[in-house]
Amino acid sequence: MEENKNNQQGANKTGNNQPPRKGPKFNIYWMYGIFALVLILIQVVGKDFAKNTREESFQTINQRFIQRGLVDSMVVFTKSVDVYLHRDSLRKSAYSDLLKSLNGNEKGPHYTFTIGDFSQFRDDMKEAQSEVPHEYRIKVTYAEDAKSGWLGFILQIIMPIIIMVGLWVLIMRKMGGGAGPGGGGGGIFNIGKSKAQLFEKGTKVNITFNDVAGLDEAKVEVMEVVDFLKNPKKYTALGGKIPKGCLLVGPPGTGKTLLAKAMAGEAQVPFFSMSGSDFVEMFVGVGASRVRDLFKQAREKSPCIIFIDEIDAIGRARGKNQMMTNDERENTLNQLLVEMDGFGGDSGIIVLAATNRPDVLDAALLRPGRFDRQISIDIPDLNGREAIFKVHLKKLKKSPDLDIHKLASQTPGFAGADIANVCNEAALIAARKGKQEVNLDDFNDAIDRIIGGLEKKNKIISPEEKRVIAYHEAGHAVSGWFLEYAYPLVKVTIVPRGEAALGYAQYLPKEKYLTLKEELEDRMAMALGGRAVEELVFGKVSTGALSDLQQVTKMAYAMVSVYGMNDKIGNISFYDPQNEGSFQKPYSEETGKLIDDEVRKISETAYSRVKNLLTERMNEVKLIAEALLQKEVLYKDDLEALIGKRPFEDHSPEMAMHTGADEVEITPPAQVESNALDANPISENSEDQAHSNPTI
């Protein structure tokens, strides 16, 4: 039955009962190319390709053939003359060499020569004819200048026209590009047509709401939109109006586009999908034209949904930076604003858009009446991560005793895309080890690889440097162990990972949304614990604390200039997301100097504090450092066996592995910085991570 079903599907695709044809597909452009190549060869080779005609000068022809009576006739054209020799003469043994040189061409023409002035040629011929006997006189025929007849006419007149027209058609088709189903493609005249991909009612889309996990609140919102289009009377009976637009907002990888794909799979209405960058083209006015065409198609298929992915490509705020203005992009945005607010309330067109930069969007785009709803899609919590793991683990051959809840607790700050990457990496690691199923160890290795980078055991490190690394990491471990608000340690290693990390530690951050001042102070002290141990043990400091210093600096500036946690600056925040890229600071030079002084004071206080702590706990530091030199990796149980249990109880039962105790708050793994001994600068993606803390 399955085989018959597959055969039937193949027959349906080809339009008959024959199976699909195998092999390379026929491309008509190859035929165009071969035809043009053949004609060009004929044009280049010309008559000499078909005939073995040799070109000589008139003087040579006169001396060798005319004066010897070997020329039978001549055909005179405008610029050239064809010479025919006597066939009887060519057959004589004395001229056998001449016939061989002509490759057996008895019919002729055998020679040709060019002429300049026609009257001069006629005088030269009369003089040559007068010097030969009468019986050797040459028959001269005058013809039009069309040596190849109709073939010459084609090659010289028709062929160039055909080539130019063909090239023009080919270029226009390429410039028009191809569009998806329902889109406009096919030439320069359709350059202003919309490139939106259309999913008609009944189109099979493999992704449904069942494939979207961890976004329960967002799913309720978008499912309501779909339900409104299916059953509009249910809402209009109460006086409600259909929302004109919904904006999906959230960090990268949280599932905004996936949610839109699920809408396309669930909605029983036409679904137009395109990217914000698809509107703008190299030609002026194309963006606005494509917006008009998109909404024109949408009105014809109403009710429907229009999805614009990465809308910040065309929706950026207008006029903020006059030096970087883009009239074409702004014209496209203006047209979009008009179209969204131009159709009636009962038109049944909903615009769905996604972006991870809502702060840069134009205010006119976000007002009610255009995007009525902003659906926030955040980093998933513990329950959300567990649900996402269940979705991605369906495709894996996992161990029966795999604890999904533990996996979710080990990945705080991971988005849906990061969790998918963890599952894929775990499967690859298990396959590399020759396993038949994926177990918890493979997932732990995958998490370590994603957070810390690729393990590099073959990196050559001198014993002196390895000792410095071990004491550096021991300083982080001990300071975090005995600071109340620091994240508890779960693992510390001196195995190199990634580009520059020579060692790193993993911690258990609490999943919370508010951060106390005391927590920031303890995290800064713990971040500086590595450098403090270097100074206490070796009397010198290294460049290994670069990542730690970066995190301490960011946290200290956030405390002073963002969260108002400084007595001298007061309860003032200078953070303004609307002017994030501005060169002008929102405070005076005197205030800026005061901020710098207070940040330096906070950093020095944290350093002195952790230095005193580690001086008292130097025995514990040495125990952990020597154990690291022997084992290279220590876990929480190993630390408890060496220095006893942590004196502070965990205030939250749900904690998870995390690299970088010096983070202000939980961050996705792509932005995590480890407490690694680090000799090279690490680029930062954005402002201080503390800016995302919610306010009361």
Side-chain angles (χ1 to χ4, degrees):
M1 289 293 294
E2 185 67 25
E3 183 179 358
N4 294 335
K5 183 179 179 180
N6 293 336
N7 291 338
Q8 183 64 29
Q9 291 177 353
N12 292 338
K13 290 181 180 179
T14 54
N16 50 39
N17 294 326
Q18 297 297 328
R21 183 173 60 88
K22 297 182 179 179
K25 295 182 179 180
F26 175 76
N27 192 341
I28 195 171
Y29 291 113
W30 283 101
M31 298 299 297
Y32 292 158
I34 294 173
F35 179 70
L37 181 62
V38 170
L39 292 180
I40 290 173
L41 287 175
I42 295 175
Q43 173 71 12
V44 172
V45 178
K47 189 171 70 174
D48 293 338
F49 182 77
K51 303 175 182 179
N52 299 316
T53 305
R54 300 179 61 182
E55 184 172 358
E56 299 285 354
S57 64
F58 174 74
Q59 290 76 12
T60 302
I61 297 295
N62 185 27
Q63 294 175 3
R64 292 185 58 188
F65 304 108
I66 296 178
Q67 299 300 324
R68 299 170 65 180
L70 299 178
V71 178
D72 178 59
S73 61
M74 289 184 179
V75 179
V76 181
F77 301 95
T78 305
K79 297 295 182 181
S80 62
V81 178
D82 287 348
V83 179
Y84 295 82
L85 303 182
H86 285 289
R87 295 186 183 180
D88 296 337
S89 301
L90 291 174
R91 294 192 182 98
K92 294 180 180 179
S93 59
Y95 301 106
S96 59
D97 294 339
L98 177 61
L99 185 60
K100 288 180 181 180
S101 66
L102 296 174
N103 296 326
N105 179 22
E106 293 187 12
K107 185 177 180 181
H110 305 103
Y111 290 94
T112 183
F113 60 89
T114 58
I115 58 176
D117 187 7
F118 184 78
S119 59
Q120 180 65 40
F121 164 72
R122 188 167 50 188
D123 295 340
D124 293 340
M125 279 298 300
K126 287 182 180 180
E127 183 178 353
Q129 291 276 50
S130 63
E131 297 177 359
V132 298
H134 182 75
E135 59 271 16
Y136 295 141
R137 291 293 176 90
I138 301 171
K139 294 181 291 185
V140 179
T141 304
Y142 297 92
E144 296 181 359
D145 195 8
K147 300 179 66 172
S148 300
W150 63 270
L151 181 60
F153 176 75
I154 291 176
L155 294 177
Q156 296 177 16
I157 306 298
I158 304 300
M159 182 60 188
I161 297 176
I162 293 176
I163 292 176
M164 293 300 296
V165 171
L167 289 176
W168 184 82
V169 171
L170 183 62
I171 291 174
M172 293 305 105
R173 287 188 178 183
K174 294 296 182 183
M175 290 176 66
I188 188 66
F189 300 107
N190 290 329
I191 194 70
K193 297 293 183 181
S194 168
K195 286 188 173 184
Q197 188 175 8
L198 172 61
F199 298 92
E200 287 276 13
K201 181 179 179 180
T203 302
K204 185 177 179 181
V205 179
N206 296 327
I207 298 176
T208 63
F209 283 132
N210 295 329
D211 300 315
V212 181
L215 304 176
D216 296 335
E217 296 84 359
K219 279 201 295 185
V220 171
E221 294 286 341
V222 296
M223 288 172 70
E224 184 182 28
V225 172
V226 175
D227 188 53
F228 198 111
L229 292 174
K230 291 181 179 179
N231 307 303
K233 294 182 179 179
K234 174 182 176 182
Y235 301 90
T236 55
L238 301 177
K241 294 183 179 180
I242 186 171
K244 292 187 178 180
C246 296
L247 183 65
L248 304 179
V249 178
T254 49
K256 300 182 295 296
T257 306
L258 179 67
L259 194 60
K261 290 180 180 178
M263 285 188 66
E266 295 281 353
Q268 297 298 316
V269 295
F271 189 95
F272 294 88
S273 174
M274 68 184 304
S275 171
S277 60
D278 289 338
F279 289 103
V280 183
E281 194 66 69
M282 61 183 291
F283 301 107
V284 176
V286 168
S289 176
R290 286 181 176 172
V291 171
R292 287 190 294 269
D293 186 70
L294 173 63
F295 281 88
K296 178 183 177 183
Q297 294 182 38
R299 292 188 189 97
E300 294 173 354
K301 295 185 178 294
S302 174
C304 65
I305 299 174
I306 297 174
F307 174 62
I308 304 175
D309 200 5
E310 304 296 345
I311 195 173
D312 50 277
I314 59 170
R316 287 180 175 267
R318 296 163 291 178
K320 279 197 172 182
N321 190 347
Q322 296 297 331
M323 297 181 62
M324 298 293 292
T325 55
N326 187 326
D327 290 338
E328 176 63 13
R329 181 182 57 78
E330 291 188 359
N331 290 340
T332 306
L333 174 59
N334 291 337
Q335 187 63 43
L336 179 63
L337 296 176
V338 172
E339 293 289 348
M340 288 187 67
D341 201 26
F343 44 79
D346 57 347
S347 61
I349 301 177
I350 293 181
V351 180
L352 188 70
T355 181
N356 55 4
R357 295 295 308 275
D359 54 305
V360 303
L361 295 181
D362 195 271
L365 193 63
L366 301 177
R367 73 163 176 81
R370 291 198 173 103
F371 283 111
D372 301 280
R373 293 183 179 180
Q374 291 192 27
I375 303 174
S376 179
I377 302 178
D378 298 322
I379 298 293
D381 57 7
L382 180 63
N383 296 330
R385 293 196 301 275
E386 188 172 351
I388 295 173
F389 265 112
K390 289 180 181 178
V391 171
H392 292 293
L393 288 175
K394 290 180 182 178
K395 303 177 182 178
L396 300 184
K397 293 183 179 179
K398 58 183 182 296
S399 175
D401 58 348
L402 182 64
D403 190 349
I404 300 179
H405 180 78
K406 188 173 182 179
L407 282 179
S409 65
Q410 289 178 345
T411 52
F414 278 49
D418 301 316
I419 293 175
N421 192 24
V422 167
C423 295
N424 185 60
E425 286 290 343
L428 296 178
I429 291 172
R432 191 181 304 123
K433 295 178 180 178
K435 296 182 179 180
Q436 299 300 319
E437 57 187 16
V438 188
N439 56 27
L440 185 60
D441 293 336
D442 301 319
F443 280 96
N444 288 334
D445 293 340
I447 293 171
D448 289 345
R449 179 168 183 174
I450 291 174
I451 293 177
L454 181 64
E455 185 175 326
K456 298 183 177 180
K457 290 185 177 181
N458 296 328
K459 183 176 285 188
I460 300 175
I461 301 175
S462 65
E464 294 81 7
E465 283 187 332
K466 199 169 186 179
R467 185 175 178 81
V468 173
I469 297 170
Y471 272 90
H472 182 102
E473 297 302 332
H476 287 307
V478 172
S479 59
W481 201 261
F482 294 102
L483 287 170
E484 180 178 1
Y485 293 104
Y487 290 146
L489 184 77
V490 69
K491 174 183 177 181
V492 60
T493 177
I494 58 174
V495 176
R497 280 187 178 272
E499 291 292 329
L502 302 178
Y504 75 101
Q506 290 180 343
Y507 299 88
L508 296 168
K510 302 173 185 178
E511 293 200 49
K512 51 185 296 187
Y513 298 98
L514 297 176
T515 305
L516 301 176
K517 180 181 179 182
E518 290 78 11
E519 291 178 306
L520 295 176
E521 290 173 346
D522 279 3
R523 293 176 200 173
M524 284 191 289
M526 184 180 63
L528 294 171
R531 168 156 287 194
V533 165
E534 291 182 29
E535 184 177 350
L536 291 173
V537 176
F538 304 102
K540 303 174 184 177
V541 295
S542 68
T543 59
L546 172 60
S547 177
D548 306 323
L549 296 176
Q550 288 177 331
Q551 298 300 326
V552 169
T553 303
K554 290 167 63 177
M555 279 189 284
Y557 270 107
M559 290 176 63
V560 175
S561 61
V562 177
Y563 296 127
M565 293 181 177
N566 183 264
D567 295 334
K568 289 190 176 181
I569 299 299
N571 297 321
I572 298 176
S573 177
F574 297 107
Y575 176 64
D576 184 5
Q578 298 297 327
N579 296 324
E580 187 175 349
S582 176
F583 293 101
Q584 185 176 0
K585 295 182 179 180
Y587 46 79
S588 64
E589 293 184 5
E590 183 179 353
T591 303
K593 184 177 182 301
L594 182 59
I595 291 174
D596 295 338
D597 293 339
E598 291 302 307
V599 167
R600 190 175 294 108
K601 188 183 297 183
I602 291 174
S603 176
E604 291 173 355
T605 302
Y607 187 69
S608 300
R609 183 181 170 208
V610 74
K611 198 172 178 181
N612 294 333
L613 172 65
L614 293 174
T615 301
E616 298 175 1
R617 300 287 182 177
M618 186 54 64
N619 291 332
E620 287 87 345
V621 172
K622 291 180 179 179
L623 284 174
I624 294 176
E626 295 301 325
L628 279 173
L629 289 172
Q630 292 179 3
K631 297 183 178 180
E632 291 190 337
V633 180
L634 294 178
Y635 295 92
K636 180 181 179 181
D637 296 339
D638 300 323
L639 266 68
E640 289 180 350
L642 289 171
I643 61 177
K645 289 191 175 183
R646 191 168 185 262
F648 309 102
E649 293 183 0
D650 298 336
H651 300 288
S652 174
E654 302 296 347
M655 296 184 179
M657 233 177 350
H658 186 64
T659 302
D662 42 12
E663 289 292 326
V664 179
E665 66 171 81
I666 299 170
T667 56
Q671 298 175 347
V672 165
E673 300 290 349
S674 65
N675 283 329
L677 220 70
D678 198 350
N680 297 321
I682 299 177
S683 61
E684 296 296 334
N685 296 328
S686 61
E687 289 289 326
D688 185 82
Q689 299 297 330
H691 292 167
S692 59
N693 270 344
T695 57
I696 297 176

